Structures are given as structure tokens and as C-alpha cells.
Amino acid sequence: MSGRSGTGELPVEATSFVGRKEEVRQVRRLLQGSRLVTVTGGAGIGKSRVAVEAASGVRRAFSDGVRFVELAGVSDPGHLEEAVAQALDLADPSDRPDVEALADHLRDRQTLLLLDTCEHLVDACARLAQTLLESSPELRILATSRQSLGVPGEHIVALAPMPLPGPRAVESVAVLARCDSVALFLERVTAVDPDYALTAENAAQVAEICARLDGIPLAIELVAVRMRTLPIGRILGLLDDRLWLLSGLTAGRRHPTVGATVEWSHELCTDDERLLWSRLPVFVSTFDAAAAEGVCADGALPAERILPALLGLVDKSIVIPVRRGEGTVYRLLDIIREYGAARLLESGEREWLRRRHLRHYLELAHRGRAAGPEADQVELWGRIRRDWPNIRAALDLCAEDPAEHETGLNMASTLWYLWIACGMLREGHHHLERLLARCPPGTESWSWATLILAYIAIARGHLGEARLLLERCRRRSPSGGDMVRLLQLKLSGTLAVIEGDLRGGEARLRAVVDRLGPGARLPEVFLPSMVELGLSLIWRGETAASREVFLRCRRLCEEQGNVWARAYADYGLGLVAMAEGDAERAASYARDSLQVKRHFSDAMAIVLCLELLAAAAVDRGEPARAGRLLSAARTGWRDKGLRDYPLMVEDSARCTELVRRSLSRRDFDQAAREGAALGLEGAIAYALGEEGAAGGAAVRRDSGWAPLTRREREVAELVAEGLTNRQIAHRLMVVQRTVDSHVEHILAKLGFSARTQVAAWATRRRRGSSAAPENA
């Protein structure tokens, strides 16, 4: 959701972008009419920076945003779709393959995906790009890779080294400073030495350095930062020696100058910096300073020396700082990671370091589970979700190593909140099922993991699987284990409520609540039990008893700092308020709950809040608004693959019938189309009255054109002008196949069979666009 910063956002680096203006303009021009643009070039040539700069400049053209997918740390092609889903903040609990979920999510969205560092996954990236582009006509993909993807229709921007100063450029300081390679060198030098300036005296030496480095940005940056400690003449002398000596030793697809400069930079680092450099590749994604200290410190490199070494590597452009809303994280360029990883293999520390990495993220998982009043649960769980690539690497190690199977099982169970509360149900199911298959039954950790897997199965609507897991746990769990039995009792109560046995479910849930008490050590058992008990009571008409349970739950949540469960208690109090005839209070509780749930990926809770707000809108005499919210909720329910439960379906059906009676057939259908066009993010903004948000504004601005996207509206208007598909393609600077796809989508969405119907419909909408729309 939009409330979590960092997921899929374009990286904001501390250093400014210099040069490459023409290349950036070329990428932007191509993105206007091309579905797939790939920036290619060798290591260190600046592919990622050019792509990010270009994407930043066109973000306004994509109403659904630009999403950055970092692939450098994704070694398994099977994790590609998962990485894209995380960047899109897409939590899909259904059984569909990942690629289908991505295609459905992107189908009608104007999104730019930036797939960064594709060369080690080029075949998988090519397949995914082709599939998504075929199914999502509004999608654009910008990729960076050392080689092209080879997808039909791909446009390639091949980056050459930066321009070098001409033979006469040194005669004019002003002319020399305008050369891109020199400008980059000077910008990086002044970052470490603000008093440095290009003069007639040093012009020839600066030009010579850029020429020796072949205009390769990474090489220039690595050398420029040395100007803080070495005079320029000394640097030239060292370059003469090192480039000659090392140019023949570099291998693979590296430019020899890049490999030699990286090697040279490594030799000029301090001992601590070299040791840290070799250890940082254990992180498969970004990391913060605390993670570097927790994983990389030992007797040879104590924790108190990690931060100085890390900042030293930042100063030398080895490590790249990236600003996030909550602070600074760090990343390694691909070639820097490769070099450090090779050193790590040589050192023999790789397996020891992977276990340190595992222990660090296991501890982080435990902190998330135990988040109390002193912790910001939203921030902590959001951080853990952003650290998912590193957490996944830790779980993969546990699955590979028999000595760590039990650790992995405990870690996967501990991460229940990531699976349940943060919407990563499929990932949790995969890792728990894989680890359970490797661990013998009969231990308490096996029992607990089996029950968490049952918890996930219930959340996914797989009730039969959940029953089988509960029975397996009952038969094969060791004696004792009160906490295991209480979670088993809680889950059986949940199943009973979902299946309509409200009294039986209440009895089990109440027994759990009474046994655990307010000082519960198991918030994942106690608080959800209270919420489900309150829901069962309200569905049975026991309003006063339900209110008492929800108020008690809310007080305990505030004492424990559990905002996730508190938001469910607020939703329950909203249901109580509706039952008591107080629609305003119900809407207030629902909005409070929605404000919190938008920061997680708890799709079911979001949809339920939208439906409660719809019920309140009907009661307040706003049936069109209620229709939009209901339609958005049901569309979100289907898009997320959520399973229908009878009691929830009945509530939704009653509200829908009230809206239908209050509106004409035409107005009801119009509200339904508008709500479906909002998308879940837009529906949240609309429900919360965020006037500046795209979703809320879209209803007022384009309500007459729903359910068409903005680009489909453009196409429909051009059809109304009498243009052929070929002429429309020329006008919009796209290929005709894209327009053909748009027209097919328009016909399907509007239920038409001919272009003349589209033309007439668009003409009527255009004539009515100046009329004052209904107050949304």
C-alpha cells in the first residue's frame, strides 16, 4: 500500500546525477512509444543511474506510478516474480501462479516497471516481460542489463563510455569543464574536497585521468575520491602502474579498466575496509548499519569499527548510500558485489558469515513478534517486510543445511505476522511446508509450525487443508505443550465460526481468552481470539456482549502497542455501532481501522472496512458513494483471490440490495463501474476523503468515462473522431498492435461489438463532461 515507504520506490542516492543528458532524453523519448526499453552496457558504465534518472523524469506520465525492482540479489530465476510482486506491494494469497497474479494486477494500470540488473536472469526476465506486456496494454518496462533481453519490440539504448576531452579542450578551462567525463570527475572530487577547482595548471592532468579511465563512470568515481588523500600527479603515476599491470588480469565481461580500477581501489582501502568489503556481499539486498554490525563483526573486525569502515567505503564510492523515509540504507553495485564475493570465497568465511546473517535475521524476526508498547509496530513490521530478500536467503540456508532445519522451522513460525498480518500468505505457506517436510514430527517446534501453516490455510480460505493440519497436529504432537493446545483450540474455534457454528466457535475462543488472560505471552493467539469472539457475537445479535469484548481488546492492544489487532477491534466496534443505528460512529471506527490497515497488506481487513463504510453511506443517504465503495471492495476481493465466507457474503449482499433499491438501474451500474475502476489503493483514498489522492480525484474527474483507463479514454475519443487504429497509433506514438489491444479492451468493458458504438458512447461522454458531476 501507499503507506509503506521504500517498497519499489526509485532509489534516492546521496550523490547527484552528472552528464548523460542525451542518453536520458533518448530513454524518455523511447518510453513515450515503446513498451520495452533496455539500457545496455558493460559493468560500471552507469546503466542503473541513467535508467533511474529517466524514470524519475517521466513518472507523471504513469498514473499508477514507477516501481523499481532490484534484481542484483536475486540469484534464483524462480524468485523473479516474487521480487516484482514485492516492488508492486502485491500480496496475493490465491493459488494462482505468480505471473498470473502480476498480470491481473497490472492489466489496466499505467505503470512503469524498472527491472534493474537483469543480465544474470536474462531469460527469465525476457519471458516475464513478454508475458506482462502482452496482458497489460498500459504497462511499460525499462530494464538495465549487460545484454539485451531479446524480446520482440524491445528498443535498446546502448551506453558508451562518457565523452573524453578532445586534444584542444585543455586550452580552455570552460570547454574542458563541459566534457561529461571531466564534469563527473570534478563533481566527485569537490564532494570530498570542496576547495578543489579546475585550473589552467591542472587541466591537462584532469583530462589525462579521464582519458586513462576510458570515460567509464565507475572508474572515474573510484579514482576521484582518492583526491582527498593523494595529489593528482601521484594518482596519475599509480594509474600508469596499475592499469598496465592489471589490465590483462581481468576476466569475464568487465571492461579491463573497470576491473583494474576496482582492484586498485581495493588495495588503497584500509585493512578494516577491505575486510568489510569482502563480507558485505552476504547481504542479498540493501542493509543498514545495524545489520552490518550484527553480521560482519568479529574479533578481527569488532563492532565498534564497522561503522567507520562502512563510512570509509561510502566515501570511496564502494558502498552506495540510499535515502529512505526512515533513514539510510546501503547497497553494492553489481561489480563491487562480485569482487567482494570473490574475496569472501578466497577467505573461507562464506559459510560462517551466512550463519551470522541467519542469526541476525532470526533475531529481527523475534523482535517483530515481540513488538511492544515501546516499538512502532507499523515501522518495525514494514522494515521486516522490506528486508524480505535477506530473510528469504536466511530461510533458504535453513532448508539447505540439515543442521539448521529446526532453526528454520522456528524462524518461519516466528514470522507469523509477516505471513498473516502483512499479506505474505503464499510465501509463508511455501517456507513452512518446505521446512516441515525436512523435520521429523513429534517435537513442539514441529507442532507449532504445523499450526501456523493451518493458520495460513484458514486465511487463504483453504478450510479442508486447515482441518487436515489440525488433525495431524492433534495425532502427532508430544504430550504437554499447553501453548500448542491453546493455538489448536483457537484455530478450531476460528474454523467453526467461519463455517457457521457460531456457538461452538465462541465456546472454544472464549476458553482460549480465559486461559491466556490479559498478560498473554501469545498475542498471535490471544488478540485474534478476542476479535473473532466479538465478530461471532455481533453476527449472533449479541451487541452488548460484542461491544464489551471489542472494547477490552482495544484497551489491551493499546497497552501492548499492537496496532494491527487494534484496527480489527475498531472494525468490530464499527459493526457494533451500525447494529445500534449510529452510522457516523460506525464510519469513524471504519476509517480509523482503514488508516492502519493501509500500512499493511491485510487485504481482507481493507475490503471489510470498505464494505462497512458502504453500509454507513447507505444509512446516511449516500447510495452512489456506497455503490462505489461496494464495487471497489468486491473487485479487490476478487483481485486478491480472497475466498468468500457465507456470513460476510450475506452482509455484503444486504448492503448491495439497499443500494440497488435507492438508485436507478443506470446510476447503480455507473457507481459500480466507477468503484471497480478505482482499484484498491484508489478506493482507500476515496474512502478516507483524500481529495488530492489519485483514486478520490478520479471519481470526480473521469466518472463519466469509467470503467476505462486514461489511455483507453484517449483511444475512445480518437475513435469518435473517426480515426483508424493505424492513425490512432501514429497520433499516440505507439505501435498499432497496442491500439488494437486497447480497442478490444474497450469493447469488452463496455459490452459493445462495434467501433460505431464506442464512437457514439464517447461522443455522449464528451458532451456531458462539462456538466457538474455528482458530489462524491
Side-chain angles (χ1 to χ4, degrees):
M1 296 300 159
S2 58
R4 270 201 309 272
S5 64
T7 304
E9 293 180 356
L10 290 173
V12 181
E13 295 182 1
T15 54
S16 58
F17 184 83
V18 178
R20 299 291 198 190
K21 292 181 181 178
E22 181 51 43
E23 291 90 338
V24 169
R25 281 195 289 266
Q26 184 183 1
V27 173
R28 289 175 181 172
R29 283 196 303 270
L30 285 172
L31 284 171
Q32 291 178 1
S34 305
R35 304 287 309 286
L36 171 62
V37 178
T38 303
V39 180
T40 64
I45 207 72
K47 300 181 293 295
S48 296
R49 281 182 171 167
V50 166
V52 168
E53 184 72 9
S56 298
V58 299
R59 66 168 78 230
R60 289 187 179 181
F62 296 91
S63 58
D64 294 298
V66 177
R67 311 306 290 173
F68 179 81
V69 188
E70 183 182 20
L71 298 177
V74 180
S75 58
D76 183 351
H79 291 322
L80 173 61
E81 288 86 356
E82 181 186 300
V84 176
Q86 186 190 27
L88 291 168
D89 203 11
L90 173 62
D92 182 74
S94 69
D95 296 319
R96 297 178 298 178
D98 288 332
V99 68
E100 288 185 16
L102 289 173
D104 281 351
H105 178 78
L106 293 167
R107 194 173 305 282
D108 293 319
R109 284 179 165 82
Q110 287 184 312
T111 301
L112 173 62
L113 273 186
L114 201 172
L115 304 179
D116 186 50
T117 314
C118 298
E119 56 267 7
H120 60 302
L121 303 168
V122 67
D123 292 338
C125 286
R127 288 192 297 271
L128 179 63
Q130 188 161 4
T131 299
L132 295 181
L133 290 171
E134 288 174 354
S135 62
S136 311
E138 298 288 335
L139 177 67
R140 296 281 193 276
I141 294 177
L142 175 59
T144 72
S145 178
R146 296 182 194 176
Q147 65 183 95
S148 64
L149 301 187
V151 174
E154 178 184 24
H155 285 72
I156 297 169
V157 177
L159 294 188
M162 283 182 147
L164 298 174
R168 302 191 62 183
V170 296
E171 297 175 6
S172 168
V173 170
V175 171
L176 183 61
R178 288 197 293 270
C179 175
D180 276 359
S181 57
V182 174
L184 176 62
F185 180 81
L186 293 174
E187 197 276 340
R188 298 303 188 251
V189 171
T190 54
V192 298
D193 182 2
D195 295 328
Y196 190 84
L198 184 65
T199 66
E201 288 72 28
N202 62 24
Q205 291 175 309
V206 169
E208 180 67 14
I209 283 179
C210 293
R212 298 281 180 88
L213 298 175
D214 296 325
I216 297 175
L218 176 60
I220 291 171
E221 293 187 36
L222 291 175
V223 171
V225 296
R226 294 297 174 182
M227 293 285 287
R228 170 188 288 173
T229 55
L230 296 172
I232 191 168
R234 176 66 175 149
I235 286 177
L236 268 172
L238 289 171
L239 284 177
D240 277 340
D241 295 339
R242 300 311 293 161
L243 291 179
W244 177 82
L245 178 64
L246 294 170
S247 60
L249 301 180
T250 56
R253 287 169 288 180
R254 300 178 188 169
H255 191 290
T257 299
V258 176
T261 309
V262 171
E263 177 84 21
W264 181 68
S265 297
H266 182 265
E267 291 186 4
L268 291 179
C269 286
T270 67
D271 289 343
D272 281 359
E273 289 166 356
R274 283 196 293 269
L275 186 53
L276 183 60
W277 184 348
S278 73
R279 292 176 175 181
L280 289 177
V282 73
F283 296 104
V284 300
S285 185
T286 57
F287 57 91
D288 59 19
E293 290 178 354
V295 174
C296 300
D298 69 348
L301 185 59
E304 63 270 16
R305 287 174 14 209
I306 292 284
L307 184 57
L310 179 61
L311 296 179
L313 292 174
V314 169
D315 287 342
K316 296 173 179 65
S317 295
I318 303 300
V319 171
I320 307 299
V322 179
R323 290 192 295 271
R324 277 187 179 161
E326 70 278 9
T328 299
V329 294
Y330 302 91
R331 69 184 185 93
L332 300 175
L333 295 178
D334 198 28
I335 190 170
I336 299 295
R337 177 186 297 278
E338 290 173 3
Y339 186 88
R343 292 283 175 170
L344 180 60
L345 279 176
E346 292 172 7
S347 71
E349 291 185 336
R350 182 172 180 269
E351 292 308 312
W352 163 79
L353 206 58
R354 288 182 75 196
R355 277 158 180 75
R356 289 292 299 270
H357 180 274
L358 164 60
R359 300 296 179 251
H360 174 79
Y361 286 100
L362 177 61
E363 182 184 337
L364 181 62
H366 281 293
R367 287 210 306 274
R369 182 187 180 209
E374 70 285 352
D376 183 336
Q377 191 180 51
V378 172
E379 192 281 326
L380 181 56
W381 287 10
R383 176 196 162 188
I384 291 169
R385 193 168 189 271
R386 286 190 296 274
D387 275 334
W388 168 240
N390 281 306
I391 292 170
R392 182 185 62 216
L395 289 168
D396 286 345
L397 170 62
C398 293
E400 295 166 12
D401 186 349
E404 300 290 359
H405 287 347
E406 190 83 5
T407 300
L409 205 60
N410 287 326
M411 184 175 183
S413 300
T414 297
L415 286 166
W416 72 270
Y417 53 88
L418 198 60
W419 320 136
I420 304 291
C422 298
M424 296 179 64
L425 295 169
R426 286 206 297 180
E427 291 87 346
H429 187 277
H430 166 73
H431 287 284
L432 280 163
E433 193 171 56
R434 179 174 61 159
L435 287 159
L436 279 166
R438 288 163 166 79
C439 293
T443 64
E444 186 166 342
S445 58
W446 178 90
S447 301
W448 195 260
T450 300
L451 292 175
I452 297 296
L453 187 58
Y455 202 161
I456 291 171
I458 293 172
R460 299 179 79 193
H462 297 178
L463 306 187
E465 178 189 356
R467 278 191 293 271
L468 288 174
L469 289 166
L470 289 175
E471 177 58 23
R472 184 185 305 166
C473 186
R474 186 190 66 77
R475 287 187 289 104
R476 309 189 75 170
S477 289
S479 57
D482 286 345
M483 295 300 102
V484 167
R485 285 203 296 273
L486 281 174
L487 178 54
Q488 189 169 11
L489 185 61
K490 183 268 175 198
L491 293 174
S492 65
T494 303
L495 269 175
V497 169
I498 289 173
E499 294 175 330
D501 180 10
L502 300 182
R503 291 188 183 276
E506 285 170 29
R508 295 169 205 171
L509 293 169
R510 196 180 295 279
V512 172
V513 171
D514 291 343
R515 285 281 305 279
L516 284 171
R521 291 179 288 126
L522 299 174
E524 67 266 44
V525 179
F526 179 61
L527 295 173
S529 295
M530 294 191 76
V531 169
E532 291 160 14
L533 175 60
L535 289 174
S536 182
L537 289 167
I538 192 68
W539 285 329
R540 276 206 308 109
E542 299 285 343
T543 307
S546 176
R547 185 197 312 107
E548 181 182 345
V549 170
F550 283 128
L551 286 173
R552 181 185 173 212
C553 180
R554 198 179 194 283
R555 285 193 301 271
L556 292 172
C557 287
E558 289 174 347
E559 291 172 8
Q560 297 177 18
N562 194 316
V563 296
W564 174 71
R566 191 197 71 197
Y568 272 113
D570 283 339
Y571 166 74
L573 289 169
L575 290 177
V576 170
M578 277 301 299
E580 294 174 341
D582 191 341
E584 288 294 338
R585 190 157 53 93
S588 178
Y589 276 123
R591 284 192 294 269
D592 287 347
S593 181
L594 193 58
Q595 284 279 19
V596 172
K597 290 301 183 182
R598 74 186 309 187
H599 293 285
F600 301 104
S601 286
D602 196 336
M604 178 179 288
I606 290 168
V607 168
L608 291 175
C609 287
L610 292 175
E611 292 195 339
L612 178 54
L613 285 165
V618 170
D619 200 73
R620 294 198 307 260
E622 301 175 279
R625 180 178 180 82
R628 294 186 194 109
L629 290 169
L630 277 173
S631 178
R634 298 316 297 175
T635 301
W637 196 276
R638 289 192 300 271
D639 287 348
K640 295 295 185 182
L642 300 173
R643 301 300 175 94
D644 285 321
Y645 300 120
L647 290 168
M648 296 175 184
V649 171
E650 289 172 15
D651 287 347
S652 180
R654 281 193 294 270
C655 187
T656 301
E657 184 58 30
L658 289 173
V659 173
R660 195 184 299 275
R661 291 177 189 173
S662 303
L663 295 172
S664 68
R665 174 64 181 270
R666 176 182 175 182
D667 288 344
F668 179 85
D669 291 344
Q670 177 74 2
R673 287 196 298 270
E674 290 171 355
L678 280 172
L680 207 55
E681 294 89 346
I684 293 169
Y686 177 59
L688 295 175
E690 295 172 351
E691 301 301 321
V699 171
R700 290 180 291 281
R701 182 178 62 252
D702 294 329
S703 60
W705 294 88
L708 303 189
T709 64
R710 293 179 187 176
R711 180 48 66 94
E712 288 168 351
R713 170 182 172 170
E714 289 181 76
V715 172
E717 290 188 277
L718 293 173
V719 168
E721 291 180 18
L723 274 63
T724 65
N725 283 10
R726 182 178 179 183
Q727 291 168 327
I728 293 171
H730 180 73
R731 177 80 65 87
L732 297 179
M733 296 186 296
V734 298
V735 297
Q736 182 177 333
R737 187 172 62 252
T738 299
V739 177
D740 295 341
S741 179
H742 283 317
V743 172
E744 290 173 6
H745 277 82
I746 292 167
L747 291 169
K749 284 183 175 182
L750 300 179
F752 294 157
S753 58
R755 290 168 62 89
T756 53
Q757 293 172 288
V758 174
W761 182 87
T763 300
R764 289 196 301 273
R765 295 302 179 279
R766 187 185 295 167
R767 288 171 180 167
S769 62
S770 60
E774 175 193 358
N775 181 15

